[in-house]
Amino acid sequence: MEKMETRIDNYWSLRAEEFSRFRLLDLASPMRTAWTKFFRQELPQRGDRPIRALDCGTGAGFFAFMLAELGCETTGIDYSHDMVQQAEQNAKLLHYPPVTFLQMDAQEMTFSDESFDFIVSRNMTWTVPAPEKVYQQWFRLLAPGGVVINFDANYGHMFRRQDDSGVTERNNAAWEKSDFKTIGTRPDMIRERNDITRELSITQQVRPQWDVDLMLQLGFDRVSVDMRVAGDITAGFYGGAFEMPKKEAGEPDHRIFCVKGVKL
């Protein structure tokens, strides 16, 4: 059997160039201002030295660039070498303040303890075989007073519901007639994405409660959840090109959530 990490890497590497194009559009839109305002409010105070920030699962560098513009000493990591290449190319293209981009497994990061004051991640923990290891790494890497913010959703559960309800099949059938033909919506890519998530343990968890419980167990303080902030920031920017499954009673919430914790 192909190693799960390899399948995940191959999937995101195939999407890297297209993914980068969409993030460049986001950076050129008012969404950039909205996200920058959010980060300015959330960054911890560090007196007269720069905040050391980590964008974990940086993709094309979207959050990393904004953090660098806010004066942070910024590092972005991604498991996909192709994504890291896209981030480096975007840095040169857009002339952002310096960011260090590294290919690295978020489950086993090689940074020293207490290397960062601020860690952010978006839509990454649902893609890894052992997300609990990622949270463990975040706690280890944060300096006292440091903040971690994770944006994610119950994607795996949603994709399984799409399969079971016939939505996936209908969307794939409509793909050829759609004006929104992307690699990420291509039927074979949808099938691979859904098959991968079925094998990931995080799909069986009810989130963000799982995230909150784990953070408290690890020792994070001031743990909080916001189910609206990501939707408020991106409202009006992302349209639904394809059918989504209707949420049934008792199902996990499919909205993007934001979980935040502080290391005292």
Side-chain angles (χ1 to χ4, degrees):
M1 178 182 292
E2 186 178 18
K3 187 178 179 183
M4 181 54 67
E5 282 87 351
T6 302
R7 287 183 68 185
I8 295 169
D9 182 26
N10 289 340
Y11 172 81
W12 287 106
S13 292
L14 284 170
R15 289 192 60 185
E17 185 175 351
E18 178 181 85
F19 186 87
S20 180
R21 289 201 300 272
F22 284 122
R23 298 295 77 79
L24 287 175
L25 291 173
D26 290 344
L27 284 168
S29 78
M31 192 188 307
R32 169 181 168 183
T33 301
W35 278 114
T36 300
K37 179 181 178 181
F38 171 83
F39 286 128
R40 186 179 288 114
Q41 295 171 340
E42 296 294 338
L43 289 172
Q45 298 298 314
R46 281 295 181 261
D48 58 355
R49 71 166 177 81
I51 296 167
R52 301 166 298 169
L54 173 66
D55 181 11
C56 193
T58 190
F62 184 68
F63 281 168
F65 295 138
M66 281 181 265
L67 292 170
E69 281 196 311
L70 287 170
C72 296
E73 184 181 287
T74 307
T75 302
I77 72 157
D78 204 282
Y79 191 75
S80 166
H81 180 264
D82 293 72
M83 285 289 192
V84 172
Q85 284 188 323
Q86 290 296 322
E88 291 174 337
Q89 290 175 17
N90 291 338
K92 293 178 182 178
L93 175 69
L94 300 171
H95 305 292
Y96 278 99
V99 176
T100 300
F101 289 110
L102 301 169
Q103 192 280 325
M104 194 178 295
D105 186 350
Q107 301 167 116
E108 297 178 354
M109 288 182 274
T110 57
F111 303 112
S112 300
D113 293 357
E114 302 183 359
S115 291
F116 299 100
D117 306 300
F118 184 76
I119 299 174
V120 65
S121 184
R122 179 168 69 154
N123 296 344
M124 188 272 292
T125 42
W126 73 274
T127 70
V128 299
E132 66 278 2
K133 291 184 178 180
V134 177
Y135 275 105
Q136 291 167 3
Q137 288 288 300
W138 288 344
F139 189 81
R140 178 182 71 82
L141 293 176
L142 276 179
V147 176
V148 63
I149 293 179
N150 183 25
F151 294 95
D152 212 348
N154 286 290
Y155 291 112
H157 182 274
M158 181 173 65
F159 300 151
R160 187 172 67 248
R161 280 276 292 111
Q162 289 176 334
D163 283 350
D164 295 345
S165 64
V167 169
T168 300
E169 184 177 350
R170 290 195 293 274
N171 281 343
N172 286 347
W175 188 80
E176 287 294 344
K177 299 178 182 179
S178 171
D179 293 329
F180 192 67
K181 290 189 179 70
T182 68
I183 292 175
T185 61
R186 205 172 67 194
D188 63 311
M189 293 292 285
I190 294 294
R191 182 71 274 134
E192 176 65 358
R193 180 199 68 186
N194 292 9
D195 287 348
I196 287 173
T197 55
R198 279 182 179 269
E199 298 187 36
L200 297 178
S201 62
I202 192 66
T203 307
Q204 308 303 320
Q205 306 298 335
V206 177
R207 307 178 70 192
Q209 189 61 54
W210 177 88
D211 303 73
V212 170
D213 292 344
L214 178 60
M215 292 176 78
L216 292 172
Q217 291 171 18
L218 290 172
F220 282 100
D221 199 81
R222 303 175 191 169
V223 178
S224 62
V225 177
D226 192 326
M227 299 298 297
R228 294 184 57 87
V229 63
D232 289 345
I233 291 173
T234 60
F237 292 102
Y238 297 137
F242 296 101
E243 180 185 352
M244 298 293 288
K246 294 181 180 179
K247 184 179 181 300
E248 297 181 353
E251 279 195 307
D253 198 312
H254 291 161
R255 289 177 297 173
I256 296 176
F257 56 77
C258 169
V259 289
K260 175 182 175 181
V262 179
K263 181 178 178 180
L264 297 183

